[in-house]
Amino acid sequence: MSEKYGLARYVAHQAYLLADRRDYEWELMPLGQNQGVSAIVWSPLGWGRLTGKLRRGGTAARDHPAALAIAIDKGPPVSDEYLYRVVDALDQVARETSKTVPQVALNWLLQRPTVANVIIGARMRNNFARISAPSDGT
């Protein structure tokens, strides 16, 4: 219909998809595949939840109380146990591949069908360096 009237069609939309929040894969990803619409994922590290700072038995609450409060209170709800299981799995892959937890989380996202890009909000240069993928793409 849009072609009949000379209107441009959508080619991308913003989506929320994380290793700990995969609702997008149920309906929007198949629809995007069917219609040729890609996704630009916002908050790909879930307000810091998937940076590796929040760990089972970790000290994030003591060392980074403001960051922890943002990660827990601002993002969509997820149980602590589920979050720890996801971070444990990301951590295991990170150790096996000599990458950081954020690199593994971002790489997983970028390998998902329809995901074209991610929007990262690193606040400090050293944080961005920690999550950036190597230039050779590995």
Side-chain angles (χ1 to χ4, degrees), residues 71-82:
I72 292 171
D73 295 337
K74 300 293 183 185
V78 61
S79 76
D80 290 349
E81 181 56 33
Y82 183 72

Side-chain angles (χ1 to χ4, degrees), residues 1-121:
M1 182 166 118
S2 62
E3 292 175 12
K4 178 179 176 183
Y5 298 105
L7 300 174
R9 60 184 240 84
Y10 290 105
V11 296
H13 68 103
Q14 287 187 359
Y16 185 67
L17 168 66
L18 301 176
D20 73 341
R21 296 293 301 205
R22 299 179 63 183
D23 308 16
Y24 171 79
E25 293 176 309
W26 302 335
E27 292 181 10
L28 293 175
M29 186 179 290
L31 178 64
Q33 288 175 301
N34 178 273
Q35 297 296 310
V37 176
S38 62
I40 300 171
V41 177
W42 56 273
S43 193
L45 297 175
W47 285 272
R49 292 177 180 167
L50 302 180
T51 61
K53 289 181 184 177
L54 301 179
R55 295 176 185 269
R56 191 183 310 273
T59 60
R62 186 185 72 230
D63 296 343
H64 308 283
L68 180 63
I70 290 171
I72 292 171
D73 295 337
K74 300 293 183 185
V78 61
S79 76
D80 290 349
E81 181 56 33
Y82 183 72
L83 174 63
Y84 292 143
R85 284 190 3 237
V86 170
V87 172
D88 289 347
L90 292 171
D91 193 41
Q92 180 178 346
V93 173
R95 284 192 310 270
E96 292 171 2
T97 60
S98 299
K99 304 293 181 199
T100 65
V101 169
Q103 286 174 331
V104 172
L106 293 173
N107 186 53
W108 178 84
L109 278 173
L110 290 169
Q111 301 304 313
R112 308 305 307 147
T114 76
V115 174
N117 205 345
V118 296
I119 300 170
I120 299 173

